Amino acid sequence: MQSRPWESSQTLPQRLLGVFRYSRRALQLVWSTSPKLAIAMGALTVMAGVLPAAAAYVGQLIVDGVVAAMAEHSRSGAADTGLVLRYLLLEALIVAALAGTQRGLSVVQSLLRAQLGQRVNVLILEKALQLNLTDFEDSEFYDKLTRARREASSRPLSLVKRTFELARNLISLLSFAVLLVQFSIWALPILLLGALPV
């Protein structure tokens, strides 16, 4: 099995730069195939990165509201739970939005896979029309052409998915960092250390 350019025995920074170099070309291919789907994938990725931190923040508000309602109940014998119920509703909406975002990403990726396959096959056929008959008699060249057609939709989309997943994880990391810095500045180094690849 042929190794991919970013899976060689290079150092981590070299592998990351390699991924981004090939990802840029794949993103250009996706953009030229369908700008609308590329924008939709980007918007859904941002939402998928922000919503987990939003859910955590609302969860903290729920806990604070419950603690405040218990303290009020112990003082006066009654407590207003309306605010906590509104937070619970908001949390449910955020969780539903997160599930919808994941589903939307899956749909967009499926549509992109189909359109990318068609687009890359058209590009390959256009390139093949410019070649000589002797080029097709070369078995190695013909194998590469066949492999390119077979992986027309999967390879570029895989690169784009990895790039967007990296962006989503970075957005989530920054969102949680904003929340954690309110508790303690020392939480940021711990968060960064925990996010480093092993």
Side-chain angles (χ1 to χ4, degrees), residues 15-32:
R15 285 169 41 202
L16 286 174
L17 290 175
V19 168
F20 283 121
R21 184 174 69 248
Y22 290 104
S23 295
R24 181 177 57 83
R25 294 170 63 185
L27 285 169
Q28 290 172 346
L29 181 61
V30 167
W31 180 263
S32 65

Side-chain angles (χ1 to χ4, degrees), residues 12-144:
L12 181 62
Q14 290 173 331
R15 285 169 41 202
L16 286 174
L17 290 175
V19 168
F20 283 121
R21 184 174 69 248
Y22 290 104
S23 295
R24 181 177 57 83
R25 294 170 63 185
L27 285 169
Q28 290 172 346
L29 181 61
V30 167
W31 180 263
S32 65
T33 301
S34 176
K36 291 181 180 179
L37 287 177
I39 291 171
M41 192 170 180
L44 290 170
T45 298
V46 171
M47 288 178 62
V50 171
L51 286 175
Y57 179 70
V58 174
Q60 177 222 334
L61 294 179
I62 292 171
V63 172
D64 291 346
V66 169
V67 170
M70 290 175 62
E72 183 182 348
H73 183 270
S74 64
R75 282 195 310 269
S76 62
D80 182 17
T81 58
L83 184 61
V84 175
L85 292 176
R86 285 195 291 273
Y87 285 148
L88 283 171
L89 178 60
L90 181 58
E91 182 83 358
L93 290 174
I94 291 173
V95 171
L98 186 57
T101 299
Q102 299 294 342
R103 182 63 181 160
L105 277 171
S106 177
V107 170
V108 167
Q109 288 169 6
S110 296
L111 292 172
L112 271 175
R113 182 178 293 111
Q115 292 189 22
L116 268 176
Q118 181 180 4
R119 167 84 171 151
V120 173
N121 278 316
V122 168
L123 291 174
I124 290 172
L125 290 174
E126 288 175 352
K127 185 66 176 177
L129 291 174
Q130 302 171 5
L131 301 174
N132 298 322
L133 184 60
T134 55
D135 294 322
F136 292 96
E137 293 174 355
D138 182 4
S139 61
E140 184 179 349
F141 173 80
Y142 188 76
D143 287 344
K144 287 181 180 178

